[in-house]
Amino acid sequence: MHRSFLIGAITLLAACSQKAETLKLSVTQFGTATEQAFDHYDAAYSTQFAPFPKSDSAKQRAFVANIEAFTGKVTAANIDTLLDPDAVKIDPDVARQWQDTLKDLRSQYQQFVAIFDNIEAGSALGASAVTQSGPILEKLRKQLATISTDFAKTPPQFVTRRGTLIAELNQIKTQEHNNPEAEKLLVQAWWQRWNNLITDESTMQADTLRAFVTALALGNKLQGQIDNYTKLDMASLISAVEDGIKLSDQIGKLSPAELATQGTALLETATN
């Protein structure tokens, strides 16, 4: 009888371990999605202040011209400005604060994922750890919802690049043009550059929001698995992983308008 009990216990532990390992796949999906969301978030924030990219030859020409026109002494304090006067210098304290905030956000989700690293060690402890992770995930989902909502309401813009183009348009308008047709061509070329900028800006905003909506959707789905973990069998957990892959693909194909609608529904789910 002791032998049959032991065999039964070992079989149960193996089954629990498999369940936990399968759940970890969904946790990894969520963790990877949040990392990608914060990567996009960081890039969106940083690109606000980035100038238009220049080729090496253009940078070299600008530097040579700057040095020829510069009458002072080159120092460590002004060399960066001489090399690239268009680059916006962000206050170091502001930049540091942003990086600290982003690091703290990433850490919260990394710590959640780490809960599941050794969760298959024992059936009772494993199931308990899964249950205890539920409230943590709920808070993280609400945080993602808040960030997504704020981003959708006031998405970052390419502030520096917009400023550059506006200055160029003002220069076109104030210059004396002997040839009206030439001026018209300059304005048309400017419009195309502005249109391209707005397109790139919209793409950046949509890609960032898409990354957050994906993370939020996977988080909502994971919450259901965690809350019902003891009732789910292996087939259900495997199906959930497959559904997560399909869900990510579906969100990746949404148009900006569809993305906004999907995002609103997910945000309501996360905060209710």
Side-chain angles (χ1 to χ4, degrees):
M1 181 168 180
H2 289 297
R3 176 183 171 80
S4 62
F5 174 79
L6 182 60
I7 292 174
I10 291 174
T11 302
L12 178 61
L13 282 171
C16 290
S17 178
Q18 289 176 343
K19 274 189 68 173
E21 284 295 325
T22 306
L23 178 64
K24 282 171 63 177
L25 294 176
S26 290
V27 174
T28 300
Q29 283 181 333
F30 174 66
T32 300
T34 57
E35 281 293 320
Q36 292 175 348
F38 289 126
D39 285 345
H40 279 283
Y41 198 32
D42 189 21
Y45 176 85
S46 302
T47 312
Q48 288 183 98
F49 312 109
F52 282 106
K54 295 179 182 177
S55 65
D56 287 343
S57 59
K59 291 178 182 177
Q60 185 184 65
R61 287 195 301 272
F63 175 64
V64 171
N66 290 336
I67 288 297
E68 289 177 346
F70 185 63
T71 57
K73 181 179 180 180
V74 178
T75 66
N78 62 29
I79 184 62
D80 287 339
T81 301
L82 290 168
L83 284 166
D84 189 3
D86 294 331
V88 176
K89 307 301 185 291
I90 302 175
D91 186 318
D93 290 336
V94 174
R96 192 180 306 110
Q97 184 178 16
W98 165 251
Q99 288 304 320
D100 288 345
T101 299
L102 196 64
K103 182 178 179 181
D104 178 64
L105 284 171
R106 290 183 188 273
S107 177
Q108 293 178 50
Y109 295 84
Q110 291 166 352
Q111 288 175 23
F112 171 78
V113 172
I115 293 173
F116 298 81
D117 285 349
N118 298 305
I119 211 165
E120 73 281 2
S123 59
L125 291 176
S128 175
V130 171
T131 301
Q132 292 173 14
S133 73
I136 299 174
L137 177 57
E138 189 173 337
K139 291 179 181 178
L140 295 178
R141 287 169 51 235
K142 288 181 179 179
Q143 181 172 254
L144 279 176
T146 299
I147 295 173
S148 301
T149 301
D150 291 344
F151 186 92
K153 287 181 178 177
T154 55
Q157 297 179 330
F158 294 156
V159 178
T160 299
R161 298 179 188 182
R162 280 172 172 254
T164 298
L165 287 183
I166 290 172
E168 289 182 6
L169 181 59
N170 282 322
Q171 187 175 23
I172 293 172
K173 286 171 59 63
T174 55
Q175 284 180 339
E176 292 186 8
H177 299 277
N178 297 324
N179 187 340
E181 189 61 30
E183 181 179 359
K184 181 179 178 181
L185 291 174
L186 287 173
V187 172
Q188 289 175 344
W190 181 92
W191 179 90
Q192 187 60 58
R193 291 185 66 195
W194 181 266
N195 194 55
N196 291 341
L197 175 67
I198 298 304
T199 298
D200 291 344
E201 191 178 79
S202 298
T203 299
M204 174 272 290
Q205 294 168 351
D207 287 348
T208 304
L209 186 58
R210 192 185 310 279
F212 274 108
V213 168
T214 300
L216 192 53
L218 292 175
N220 290 352
K221 198 166 190 62
L222 178 60
Q223 187 80 59
Q225 295 175 63
I226 288 175
D227 291 346
N228 298 285
Y229 182 67
T230 56
K231 303 174 186 177
L232 297 177
D233 56 17
M234 281 289 297
S236 299
L237 290 170
I238 291 173
S239 178
V241 175
E242 294 172 343
D243 288 345
I245 296 173
K246 294 176 183 176
L247 186 61
S248 298
D249 288 341
Q250 289 170 357
I251 294 174
K253 297 174 182 177
L254 294 179
S255 67
E258 293 171 331
L259 185 63
T261 301
Q262 178 81 1
T264 300
L266 289 168
L267 296 174
E268 291 176 352
T269 302
T271 52
N272 291 334

